[in-house]
Amino acid sequence: AIAFGLWLLKKGSGNIIVRALAAISFIVAAALVPLGGKMQAQTAQVMNMGGDWEPFVASDFEKLMQGTEPLFVDMTAAWCITCKVNENAVLNTAGITDLFHKRKVQTIRGDWTNQNPEITAFLAKFGRNGVPIYVYYGPRSPATHERPEPVVLPQLLTAGIVENAVEGK
């Protein structure tokens, strides 16, 4: 908002409407300052893996992959707007949380805010160089003991997309 206001002033400093818009942008910036701390606290809470989300650690993930339970991996970052929208609108909702519990899906969340090399390697396995990425690993077959191929979900999630992946549709 501050940069926008400065840009406006540079482009049309003589125009009263432009100056008024610049002033409004400065006021908005000042009003948002107190929210910055709250947003950082909320981000820290999400990144501290509140709820049932386990932090992604490559060695722990390999152990989980050897198990039989389904896995849902969410690679995210504090600065990723798409990630935050998906978390708030889909992944952290009661319906999806209940689905994960019902299907005994182990949930893993990786924080790529500071370019964690283990997460970078995970992303590269799927041809990605950034977040978000959502990967569902189905349960091992009781007959063959094989895990199906992982399903990479789209970057913009809906509850239906997650439900279809988990339900095998």
Side-chain angles (χ1 to χ4, degrees), residues 125-140:
K125 286 184 203 176
F126 296 97
R128 298 281 182 88
N129 59 6
V131 293
I133 187 170
Y134 307 100
V135 183
Y136 176 71
Y137 296 85
R140 289 191 179 276

Side-chain angles (χ1 to χ4, degrees), residues 16 21 29 36 50 54 78 104 127 138 147 166:
I16 191 144
L21 285 172
E54 295 293 325
K104 296 183 169 94
R147 193 179 285 278
V166 172

Side-chain angles (χ1 to χ4, degrees), residues 30 53 88 90 96 125 151:
W53 293 91
N88 291 322
V90 179
I96 295 301
K125 286 184 203 176
V151 176

Side-chain angles (χ1 to χ4, degrees), residues 102-146:
K102 178 179 153 190
R103 295 292 185 170
K104 296 183 169 94
V105 177
Q106 295 184 0
T107 52
I108 300 103
R109 183 168 281 154
D111 179 4
W112 201 57
T113 300
N114 296 314
Q115 310 285 316
N116 177 312
E118 291 182 342
I119 295 172
T120 302
F122 181 90
L123 295 169
K125 286 184 203 176
F126 296 97
R128 298 281 182 88
N129 59 6
V131 293
I133 187 170
Y134 307 100
V135 183
Y136 176 71
Y137 296 85
R140 289 191 179 276
S141 165
T144 65
H145 302 289
E146 296 291 321

